[in-house]
Amino acid sequence: MNEYVPGLEGVPATKSNISFIDGEKGVLAYRGYPIEQLAEHSTFEETALLLLDGQLPVAAELAAFDAELRNNRRVKYNIAAIMKSLPATGHPMEMLQTAVASLGMFYPGSERLTGPNAWQDLDYIHGMSVKIIARMATLVAMWEHIRNGYDPIAPRTDLTYAQNFLYMMNGREPDPLIAKMFDTCLVLHAEHTINASTFAALVAGSTLATPSAVVASAVGTLFGPLHGGANERVVEMLEEIGSPEKVKLWLDAKLAAKEKIWGMGHREYKVKDPRAVILQRLVEKLAEHRGGKMSRLFDTALALEEAASARLAEKGVYPNVDYYSGILYAEMGFPTDQFTSIFAVARAAGWLAHWREQLRYNRIFRPTQMYTGEGLRHYQPITDRQ
Ligand code: COA
């Protein structure tokens, strides 16, 4: 095979039984369970275990996993010290990549990944997955306080994953409905087949790099605005538009300039992303909960979706997961530049599930290229060059 496919569109990079997308029908399933059912009935803890182990857990298994997560929330003092030495103006995703990578310094174990039976060492593989998934939320919330010059709020073990994150961010126990909605957001963001960041995780994992290095590679890849960074841009874009009446002119100008509309379009989906459908409903539910009060961002987003669909539907460009998640996160009070790190907190479960799956039949990624450079030529000493 020697055809070059830009962006590897349609090129299978692995075999996986973790998640499935039907982009024509708007279907997403984790381990065979439709995302709508998981959003309705599951929790982040259960979904993470489903992704890692492949089956819905029985009650005792879930309780044990939940306890492991709760007991792994604290991060070492030295990691807080590293974070305190970073510039407060830095982006939370750069911080997260640094902090996750630093976990590898404190929890070494690369020797446990070599050898033909390494994939069976669940003590290490599961143990490290728990350590990373539990600590991701702590790192993101800690940074919110550290960068503002305050001491981080210590995690609690009596709260669920979602509740504890909201508590660590805001310093108070969350409204139960908001905590439930946030939990659903984590479920929706936990996994999404072989996207750019998961591919990055697999490439790093294929070298038998440690799981902290694998997740750090993925976090760096998620950062970009064509991937996870889009949720942050969506809110900035809606603020720039200002109000629903201004949508049409704004859109005309953007499309005429061949610019992208943030939070729209997807390599896999040619219809509205099923996660965007659920997130939109959550935004509506939150507005109801608040007695109909909702920022103009939502009205503007609805107007933009309608106007954009008249112009972009023929290209299969519809809202993706990032379109409504940013509005929801803004309404939950999260700073805009934390949206992508919150996405990463949830996605760590998917990245680590793929890492674990790949270890079973690992082969290092080493694609080829189509060389387009010079033929062989003679080196000229600098004094002979013109
Ligand atoms: N706004 C306007 N037009 C868009 C668009 C968007 N958000 N997304 C895709 N298109 C158009 C492209 O301009 C292109 O049109 P053309 O054929 O006339 O040149 C066509 O749709 C195909 O887009 P392309 O960029 O080739 O698709 P891709 O599969 O390479 O890229 C994304 C997918 C997600 C990177 C792309 O849709 C995008 O940049 N979206 C905005 C960023 C975003 O929200 N990312 C989060 C993804 S979850």
Side-chain angles (χ1 to χ4, degrees):
M1 189 178 97
N2 58 4
E3 188 196 352
Y4 164 57
V5 182
L8 298 182
E9 179 169 3
V11 177
T14 189
K15 287 184 175 179
S16 176
N17 52 33
I18 298 174
S19 63
F20 164 79
I21 294 173
D22 182 332
E24 301 293 332
K25 295 191 181 133
V27 172
L28 169 63
Y30 298 170
R31 300 285 190 184
Y33 297 101
I35 194 65
E36 292 78 9
Q37 291 180 25
L38 293 171
E40 177 86 23
H41 303 295
S42 190
T43 60
F44 176 65
E45 290 86 336
E46 184 184 64
T47 296
L49 193 53
L50 169 70
L51 291 169
L52 294 171
D53 284 1
Q55 302 299 333
L56 278 175
V58 297
E61 289 164 343
L62 179 58
F65 180 64
D66 185 22
E68 284 184 293
L69 285 176
R70 287 172 196 247
N71 293 330
N72 272 283
R73 285 177 181 163
R74 284 182 175 269
V75 303
K76 288 190 187 290
Y77 173 81
N78 282 342
I79 293 182
I82 292 170
M83 291 167 70
K84 284 179 185 167
S85 71
L86 298 172
T89 48
H91 194 282
M93 283 294 277
E94 309 263 38
M95 177 290 301
L96 188 60
Q97 190 181 26
T98 308
V100 168
S102 79
L103 290 177
M105 300 286 287
F106 297 91
Y107 306 103
S110 53
E111 73 288 350
R112 295 182 70 168
L113 288 166
T114 50
N117 297 323
W119 65 276
Q120 289 173 314
D121 184 357
L122 284 191
D123 183 44
Y124 177 69
I125 294 167
H126 177 82
M128 282 306 297
S129 300
V130 166
K131 276 191 175 62
I132 294 173
I133 294 169
R135 284 167 175 77
M136 289 285 282
T138 313
L139 295 173
V140 171
M142 279 171 72
W143 181 243
E144 196 46 41
H145 301 289
I146 289 174
R147 70 171 171 172
N148 285 305
Y150 299 107
D151 282 332
I153 294 173
R156 279 173 42 180
T157 52
D158 60 329
L159 300 173
T160 67
Y161 193 98
Q163 288 167 346
N164 178 60
F165 178 73
L166 292 166
Y167 165 73
M168 286 189 298
M169 284 293 277
N170 304 323
R172 55 179 186 279
E173 280 190 37
D175 173 330
L177 184 85
I178 305 277
K180 176 67 196 131
M181 282 184 182
F182 180 60
D183 189 48
T184 307
C185 291
L186 295 176
V187 169
L188 294 176
H189 284 88
E191 161 60 11
H192 209 231
T193 76
I194 305 301
N195 49 72
S197 59
T198 304
F199 185 45
L202 290 185
V203 173
S206 80
T207 70
L208 302 185
T210 54
S212 50
V214 166
V215 174
S217 305
V219 169
T221 310
L222 186 71
F223 184 23
L226 295 188
H227 192 10
N231 55 10
E232 184 177 335
R233 307 292 166 111
V234 169
V235 166
E236 289 164 3
M237 171 184 80
L238 296 173
E239 275 163 356
E240 179 194 315
I241 299 172
S243 68
E245 309 78 62
K246 296 188 183 148
V247 158
K248 209 183 155 311
L249 276 181
W250 181 91
L251 182 66
D252 288 346
K254 288 286 162 181
L255 293 182
K258 298 212 171 304
E259 286 187 36
K260 291 275 175 75
I261 314 302
W262 300 113
M264 294 207 177
H266 201 279
R267 176 68 61 77
E268 293 287 314
Y269 295 113
K270 297 305 157 212
V271 296
K272 190 167 173 176
D273 183 329
R275 299 165 302 170
V277 174
I278 300 170
L279 286 162
Q280 181 177 352
R281 266 191 237 124
L282 289 183
V283 179
E284 287 159 3
K285 203 165 156 191
L286 186 58
E288 236 171 74
H289 180 62
R290 293 193 170 155
K293 271 188 259 148
M294 181 53 66
S295 78
R296 287 180 74 75
L297 289 185
F298 187 48
D299 290 341
T300 308
L302 290 174
L304 179 59
E305 180 181 348
E306 194 184 335
S309 110
R311 307 282 303 274
L312 296 172
E314 59 180 13
K315 293 184 184 175
V317 173
Y318 291 94
N320 59 46
V321 68
D322 294 314
Y323 194 69
Y324 288 108
S325 66
I327 299 176
L328 201 55
Y329 289 165
E331 287 294 324
M332 286 177 179
F334 299 137
T336 311
D337 66 354
Q338 285 275 26
F339 295 174
T340 314
S341 19
I342 295 168
F343 183 157
V345 166
R347 185 55 60 85
W351 291 329
L352 288 161
H354 281 275
W355 166 66
R356 174 168 155 182
E357 179 181 63
Q358 181 178 263
L359 285 174
R360 174 78 175 88
Y361 301 104
N362 187 57
R363 190 169 186 211
I364 190 168
F365 274 99
R366 203 329 179 171
T368 188
Q369 64 171 10
M370 287 183 162
Y371 179 63
T372 56
E374 300 284 350
L376 291 178
R377 44 187 175 161
H378 285 289
Y379 177 84
Q380 282 186 317
I382 196 162
T383 45
D384 295 353
R385 290 177 217 156
Q386 310 239 326

